[in-house]
Amino acid sequence: MFLNVAYTRGKGRFAGAWSFHFVPLLELSSFNPEHFKWQVLLGLLGRERQGRLSRWRVVYFWTDPS
């Protein structure tokens, strides 16, 4: 099994965006200061938050935002 690492940063209008991937174990990303998303095992479990709204990812399916 190969583990790949990737890190990206946005430019221009997407200057606050970034993402980190340690495939297939972990993914972290943010599109703006109020957003944060993490996932493990290619989306088996994760959480996404945008401002006051958040949702969970369980067994590859997203829950409704609350």
Side-chain angles (χ1 to χ4, degrees), residues 16-18 29-38 46-56 62-66:
W18 60 269
S29 61
S30 177
F31 303 127
N32 59 54
E34 294 185 4
H35 178 266
F36 184 72
K37 179 172 83 171
W38 63 268
R47 183 172 185 229
E48 183 174 27
R49 179 183 51 80
Q50 173 69 42
R52 293 178 33 210
L53 296 176
S54 69
R55 63 184 183 165
W56 286 91
W62 287 107
T63 61
D64 290 329
S66 60

Side-chain angles (χ1 to χ4, degrees), residues 4-62:
N4 296 311
V5 177
Y7 178 76
T8 61
R9 290 189 72 86
K11 291 185 177 182
R13 161 183 124 146
F14 301 105
W18 60 269
S19 67
F20 173 80
H21 304 270
F22 188 55
V23 179
L25 304 176
L26 177 67
E27 174 190 337
L28 304 170
S29 61
S30 177
F31 303 127
N32 59 54
E34 294 185 4
H35 178 266
F36 184 72
K37 179 172 83 171
W38 63 268
Q39 298 184 112
V40 293
L41 298 174
L42 297 173
L44 182 66
L45 180 66
R47 183 172 185 229
E48 183 174 27
R49 179 183 51 80
Q50 173 69 42
R52 293 178 33 210
L53 296 176
S54 69
R55 63 184 183 165
W56 286 91
R57 187 166 194 159
V58 180
V59 191
Y60 305 108
F61 293 98
W62 287 107

